[in-house]
Amino acid sequence: MAVDSELSIERHPSRVSRGEQHDEEELAEFGYKQELRRDWGLMHNFGISFSIISVITGITTLFSYGLITGGPGVMAVGWIIVSVFTFMISLSMAEIVSAIPTAGGPYYWAALLAPRNHSAFASWITGWFNFLGQVAVTTGISFGLAGLISTTATIKSSYVPSSPRTIGIYAAVLISHGIVNTFGVHVLRYLNNTSIALHSLGVTAIAIAVLAKAPTHQSAKFVFAKFYDGTGVDPSPGWSIRASPAYVACCGVLMAQYTLTGFDASAPLV
């Protein structure tokens, strides 16, 4: 985007809808002239956030991690606690993005909302944290997908997973992401809509399968109160002994935090 003190609509007036003109006028109040096309609707924006949250990815890649860092109690209670606080943050961010609908999202909000003498630093630190977080999440999800593909390939085949093969699949996944985002951005909206359906069906299918096919069901006390520390490597004790159970619980809560990361993904795209 380019800074401009006055609204300038370069497109033919007949091709600019009332909604688009309102958006441009609103951006002009912040000293910006709209240069990016806004052709994503509500479902497209919801789709990208829903896809990045990806409950299926978070559960499948970190389920074993959650079991050894606190066990069922930390996983269940942690999910509830993280969901509540995430919901509060998302409501706050929704309020901000509705008032300041600029591309870039958080780093620009930080510049506007911080005191003038600290706005540059607030914007800089927010932007870099956001960028590094996106890099870390993309890396983690892509590596999880590589592991899933590698494991799936062993079904009814002689394929044997290995570190080099998994890394090769991982590299291919990252390259495919780069190609789509470089040359096929226009197809992302359709991928996001497809992702909504697949994730909704996937989560529902897993929930039904677990409830219907599990050989036994644990008590509510086991689900919400059972603490297990599997962080130790024989003969060393776990971190609940070397540090404290609270430390292990904080590590276990990362499963829910990792899964619910990305709810703000559509904010920088408005």
Side-chain angles (χ1 to χ4, degrees):
M1 286 189 176
V3 177
D4 194 347
S5 59
E6 296 182 0
L7 175 64
S8 175
I9 302 177
E10 298 178 354
R11 289 168 289 172
H12 193 278
S14 63
R15 298 180 181 178
V16 180
S17 68
R18 179 174 298 181
E20 290 176 321
Q21 186 171 354
H22 173 73
D23 289 342
E24 293 180 351
E25 291 173 349
E26 190 171 8
L27 286 176
E29 295 178 3
F30 297 104
Y32 271 74
K33 182 183 73 173
Q34 179 173 314
E35 295 183 352
L36 302 177
R37 291 185 59 189
R38 295 188 174 192
D39 54 359
W40 279 26
L42 175 62
M43 289 303 296
H44 301 135
N45 281 279
F46 171 76
I48 191 170
S49 292
F50 191 69
S51 300
I52 293 179
I53 290 174
S54 186
V55 175
I56 294 178
T57 302
I59 291 177
T60 55
T61 57
L62 289 184
F63 195 77
S64 59
Y65 170 85
L67 288 176
I68 65 173
T69 53
V74 172
M75 293 171 70
V77 176
W79 191 277
I80 296 173
I81 294 174
V82 170
S83 296
V84 170
F85 282 99
T86 298
F87 184 65
M88 294 169 64
I89 294 173
S90 64
L91 288 178
S92 300
M93 296 185 74
E95 183 70 18
I96 296 174
V97 74
S98 66
I100 313 174
T102 57
Y107 79 87
Y108 186 72
W109 305 341
L112 287 182
L113 298 176
R116 182 177 295 274
N117 56 332
H118 298 301
S119 63
F121 177 73
S123 179
W124 184 85
I125 198 72
T126 302
W128 272 105
F129 268 112
N130 194 289
F131 172 74
L132 294 175
Q134 291 295 337
V135 171
V137 168
T138 302
T139 301
I141 292 176
S142 298
F143 188 76
L145 176 59
L148 181 62
I149 293 174
S150 185
T151 302
T152 304
T154 63
I155 300 176
K156 296 182 180 181
S157 72
S158 59
Y159 177 82
V160 179
S162 64
S163 296
R165 289 179 175 179
T166 302
I167 294 298
I169 297 173
Y170 174 47
V173 169
L174 289 177
I175 291 173
S176 69
H177 291 170
I179 292 174
V180 170
N181 282 277
T182 302
F183 303 106
V185 177
H186 60 283
V187 304
L188 286 178
R189 66 171 69 182
Y190 305 109
L191 292 177
N192 290 333
N193 290 344
T194 303
S195 177
I196 294 175
L198 292 178
H199 277 85
S200 299
L201 292 174
V203 172
T204 303
I206 291 175
I208 293 175
V210 169
L211 292 174
K213 294 298 183 178
T216 59
H217 293 87
Q218 298 290 350
S219 65
K221 181 179 180 180
F222 178 89
V223 173
F224 293 100
K226 176 65 176 179
F227 179 84
Y228 173 74
D229 178 16
T231 59
V233 179
D234 292 334
S236 301
W239 282 102
S240 62
I241 296 176
R242 287 187 285 174
S244 72
Y247 174 76
V248 176
C250 288
C251 292
V253 168
L254 291 176
M255 174 189 174
Q257 289 179 304
Y258 172 79
T259 303
L260 295 179
T261 297
F263 60 88
D264 62 325
S266 62
L269 303 177
V270 296

